[in-house]
Amino acid sequence: LSGSEAGLLGCWSFDEGSGTTAYDLSTNENDGTINGATYSSDVPITSQSPDQPLLPEGPVTIDLDATTTSEYITGEVTNASSYQWHLNPLEAGTIEGEHTVGTVYWNSEYTGIDAYINVVAYNDCGETSSDTLPISLSPVWVHNSRVNDFDIEVFPNPSHGIFNLSVIGYSNNINMLILNRNGQLIIKRKLINTKGHSTHNIDISYCSAGIYYLKFILRDRVIVKKVLIKN
């Protein structure tokens, strides 16, 4: 409290350092008299929340097909008595750690493309969170989609945002979503397939350079392809 909050009858910090008067920090001027007190500077600070933890450090790109655990660290901060680690979304896995090291146990069946890690410092007066570290995930199904005689080919890749999709060995319609690396939807489109082999032209040249994901929703499976748009 600073003494300026509404509704206070009085606010005393007891940090005068000398004398017998405890000054009221509010506008009510309810000063008090101190009797028999001894001031000391050799005491812990317990009247404020912890400082903000540093942004966690650790791997920011995870291949879920090859990685089961990864470790993240932060530095100790002033006034913190404990730390708690957080991983979002919860479906991405679990994170353990009560001090400055957090260990993630990744969920190999997670189908998202991003996760987020932060650490919170605690004491009896409150809590303070670090900034959030974004993690880019490559799900286990972001691989070659060929199954028996079925395949979806993307070419050219990389491109400047204009590319072709060749659907081979599948005669049903396919719902396609294009997502940016933050999981935001860019395009939703239905691919019409009647002959078991079709080609579709895609134009997202208006999008900024970077990694995008093509998510193909079939009757019995979901397939994701990664594409790169160049400047």
Side-chain angles (χ1 to χ4, degrees):
L1 297 177
S2 65
S4 61
E5 292 80 5
L8 292 179
L9 296 179
C11 180
W12 303 269
S13 63
F14 297 102
D15 61 355
E16 283 76 9
S18 62
T20 60
T21 301
Y23 293 100
D24 182 5
L25 301 180
S26 75
T27 58
N28 297 320
E29 299 183 356
N30 290 323
D31 298 339
T33 300
I34 301 173
N35 294 309
T38 300
Y39 288 99
S40 173
S41 60
D42 186 23
V43 293
I45 298 175
T46 58
S47 60
Q48 64 185 55
S49 298
D51 290 350
Q52 183 181 31
L54 296 174
L55 181 71
E57 295 182 358
V60 295
T61 302
I62 300 293
D63 182 351
L64 293 179
D65 197 26
T67 305
T68 57
T69 65
S70 54
E71 189 173 272
Y72 297 85
I73 62 173
T74 187
E76 293 188 2
V77 295
T78 303
N79 301 327
S81 58
S82 63
Y83 300 83
Q84 186 171 353
W85 290 83
H86 298 272
L87 171 67
N88 287 295
L90 299 177
E91 295 80 4
T94 60
I95 188 166
E96 298 180 359
E98 295 181 353
H99 199 58
T100 56
V101 179
T103 302
V104 175
Y105 298 88
W106 296 105
N107 175 15
S108 62
E109 297 182 356
Y110 179 58
T111 58
I113 58 177
D114 288 288
Y116 303 90
I117 291 174
N118 70 299
V119 60
V120 180
Y122 290 87
N123 66 15
D124 291 338
C125 292
E127 61 188 67
T128 307
S129 175
S130 71
D131 291 333
T132 298
L133 178 70
I135 311 296
S136 177
L137 302 176
S138 292
V140 295
W141 31 259
V142 183
H143 296 294
N144 193 330
S145 64
R146 180 173 289 278
V147 179
N148 298 325
D149 293 328
F150 168 60
D151 194 16
I152 299 177
E153 296 179 352
V154 182
F155 61 93
N157 186 23
S159 72
H160 294 289
I162 299 176
F163 53 89
N164 297 306
L165 303 176
S166 179
V167 181
I168 304 170
Y170 193 79
S171 58
N172 295 312
N173 296 335
I174 300 174
N175 289 319
M176 180 193 69
L177 309 178
I178 299 182
L179 312 171
N180 64 18
R181 66 180 306 156
N182 296 320
Q184 297 171 318
L185 179 65
I186 305 299
I187 284 180
K188 181 177 181 180
R189 177 172 166 182
K190 178 174 287 188
L191 306 180
I192 307 299
N193 300 295
T194 58
K195 299 178 181 179
H197 186 178
S198 59
T199 301
H200 308 269
N201 181 260
I202 306 298
D203 184 353
I204 54 171
S205 57
Y206 54 87
C207 294
S208 58
I211 293 174
Y212 292 82
Y213 294 90
L214 312 181
K215 186 173 184 179
F216 303 98
I217 303 173
L218 288 70
R219 290 184 176 181
D220 59 347
R221 76 197 77 172
V222 174
I223 295 172
V224 173
K225 292 277 190 174
K226 184 187 294 185
V227 296
L228 176 64
I229 295 181
K230 303 182 295 183
N231 287 320

